[in-house]
Amino acid sequence: MAAFVKELATRPSRRGGNVVVLDSGAGLANATLQQRLVPVRLFYDYLIEEGLRESNPVGRGRYTPVRKFGGHQRGLVPRLTKLPWIPSEQQWLDLLDVAREEPVRNRVMLALAYDAALRREELCSLRTDDLDPAHRTLRIRAETTKTRRERVVPYSAATGVLLSGYLTHRATISRARGPLFLSESRRNYGQPLTLWTWSKVIRRVGLAADLPRFSTHTTRHLCLTDLARMGWELHAIASFAGHRSTESTLTYIHLSGRDLAEKLNRGMQQIHSWRVDMLTRAARASEAVAE
């Protein structure tokens, strides 16, 4: 098992240079390492049930408060939980400079991905009848979402202008109703844009802006973090994002630092007031002694 875990931790990714983030330091993310160990753990559980083994060598990372029962049992691979990466203001501006040179389809897709905090599949699966230009909203169908829950999300007026321009351009490719975003390559002209094509577009734009960590999910992270920075309530962000549980939404609250900043400001105000009060008392005491 030790040799297997070591091999997982050093195994190069099959995607090679297309890897965006190397959480494991080798090409397999920490979550991927955990997934590789699950079937092995279940197999040993089966052997124990069949009476062929007495113990499972793949630890679950459980904690037992009573020391005599084993205390803390560490997993073979430590479970890491990291905050999602988002670009700084300058990095975002650099990305937009590169995006301005992209075709109108790519620009409107990037705008919608941020504006409506869309996942890659939700964005690429949009259809013409999902649009409501009168109210500037999108219908995200349940079958395209991660949680299988339909929702309606708004988009900004600026994105609406881009979308209007794209719809005019789309009419030169196909006037048929159906998938909103169409391929313009010679090989798949007029066919629905695939997830992989959009990933390649984002990868190319990110590299051109010197942001190799930029991915199709970065715009969603950035939008939800910005909503948290603006003071949106937790349940409102969860509803907008289509999260089944607010536990997922808490990530963006933490990433924004909103709550921590508010607590810091309140705490610093109290400390500042206390220090000023103490200085004032000291000054008054000095004046009294002088008199």
Side-chain angles (χ1 to χ4, degrees), residues 11-65:
R11 177 187 300 177
S13 173
R14 292 177 296 176
R15 293 180 290 175
N18 291 326
V19 174
V20 177
V21 182
L22 303 181
D23 288 337
S24 67
L28 292 180
N30 181 261
T32 305
L33 296 179
Q34 302 291 343
Q35 290 176 353
R36 296 292 189 274
L37 291 177
V38 168
V40 182
R41 182 185 299 119
L42 295 178
F43 173 68
Y44 279 105
D45 283 344
Y46 166 76
L47 295 181
I48 293 174
E49 290 179 359
E50 294 295 317
L52 301 177
R53 281 190 62 90
E54 295 182 355
S55 62
N56 191 331
V58 186
R60 284 176 166 79
R62 296 172 298 185
Y63 177 76
T64 304

Side-chain angles (χ1 to χ4, degrees), residues 185-205:
S185 67
R186 291 181 296 175
R187 182 178 180 181
N188 299 308
Y189 191 81
Q191 297 299 312
L193 190 74
T194 66
L195 304 178
W196 318 118
T197 300
W198 177 235
S199 294
K200 290 178 181 179
V201 169
I202 289 297
R203 178 65 172 162
R204 172 170 50 77
V205 171

Side-chain angles (χ1 to χ4, degrees), residues 108-109 111-118 122-123 126-141 150-156 159-160 163 180-181 240:
V108 74
M109 289 183 71
L112 284 175
Y114 169 78
D115 235 3
L118 299 181
E122 294 171 350
L123 177 66
L126 284 174
R127 299 177 62 85
T128 54
D129 53 356
D130 292 331
L131 302 178
D132 185 356
H135 297 91
R136 290 207 306 268
T137 58
L138 300 172
R139 180 173 66 96
I140 311 301
R141 287 170 285 114
E150 185 171 304
R151 69 185 191 276
V152 175
V153 292
Y155 58 87
S156 66
T159 299
L163 183 58
L180 178 60
F181 299 113
F240 184 82

Side-chain angles (χ1 to χ4, degrees), residues 50-277:
E50 294 295 317
L52 301 177
R53 281 190 62 90
E54 295 182 355
S55 62
N56 191 331
V58 186
R60 284 176 166 79
R62 296 172 298 185
Y63 177 76
T64 304
V66 183
R67 183 172 298 178
K68 66 180 181 179
F69 289 115
H72 182 245
Q73 180 185 359
R74 298 179 57 186
L76 291 180
V77 177
R79 188 176 296 275
L80 306 178
T81 302
K82 297 184 179 181
L83 292 176
W85 175 84
I86 60 172
S88 65
E89 295 301 320
Q90 185 57 52
Q91 289 173 329
W92 179 245
L93 292 176
D94 294 341
L95 184 85
L96 293 183
D97 286 338
V98 174
R100 287 191 184 97
E101 305 301 322
E102 289 293 309
V104 64
R105 183 202 67 193
N106 296 345
R107 283 184 283 132
V108 74
M109 289 183 71
L110 187 62
L112 284 175
Y114 169 78
D115 235 3
L118 299 181
R119 301 179 179 94
R120 180 181 64 166
E121 185 174 358
E122 294 171 350
L123 177 66
C124 294
S125 300
L126 284 174
R127 299 177 62 85
T128 54
D129 53 356
D130 292 331
L131 302 178
D132 185 356
H135 297 91
R136 290 207 306 268
T137 58
L138 300 172
R139 180 173 66 96
I140 311 301
R141 287 170 285 114
E143 60 269 23
T144 68
T145 67
K146 184 177 180 180
T147 58
R148 296 299 182 258
R149 292 185 176 185
E150 185 171 304
R151 69 185 191 276
V152 175
V153 292
Y155 58 87
S156 66
T159 299
V161 173
L162 273 176
L163 183 58
S164 177
Y166 171 69
L167 291 175
T168 301
H169 173 72
R170 184 187 182 279
T172 65
I173 303 173
S174 173
R175 292 184 176 272
R177 292 181 175 273
L180 178 60
F181 299 113
L182 303 178
S183 173
E184 299 181 39
S185 67
R186 291 181 296 175
R187 182 178 180 181
N188 299 308
Y189 191 81
Q191 297 299 312
L193 190 74
T194 66
L195 304 178
W196 318 118
T197 300
W198 177 235
S199 294
K200 290 178 181 179
V201 169
I202 289 297
R203 178 65 172 162
R204 172 170 50 77
V205 171
L207 290 177
D210 196 23
L211 296 174
R213 300 182 69 181
F214 189 78
S215 70
T216 56
H217 218 61
T218 301
T219 48
R220 177 175 168 85
H221 291 321
L222 183 59
C223 175
L224 298 181
T225 302
D226 285 344
L227 295 181
R229 287 168 173 166
M230 289 187 288
W232 277 41
E233 296 299 327
L234 183 64
H235 71 277
I237 300 177
S239 178
F240 184 82
H243 287 155
R244 186 183 297 273
S245 169
T246 54
E247 290 295 325
S248 301
T249 315
L250 282 172
T251 299
Y252 302 100
I253 302 294
H254 296 161
L255 188 62
S256 71
R258 187 189 71 187
D259 292 344
L260 294 178
E262 291 178 354
K263 290 179 180 179
L264 178 63
N265 290 334
R266 289 196 299 268
M268 290 303 293
Q269 287 175 0
Q270 294 175 358
I271 294 175
H272 181 72
S273 299
W274 175 78
R275 292 191 187 280
V276 171
D277 183 60

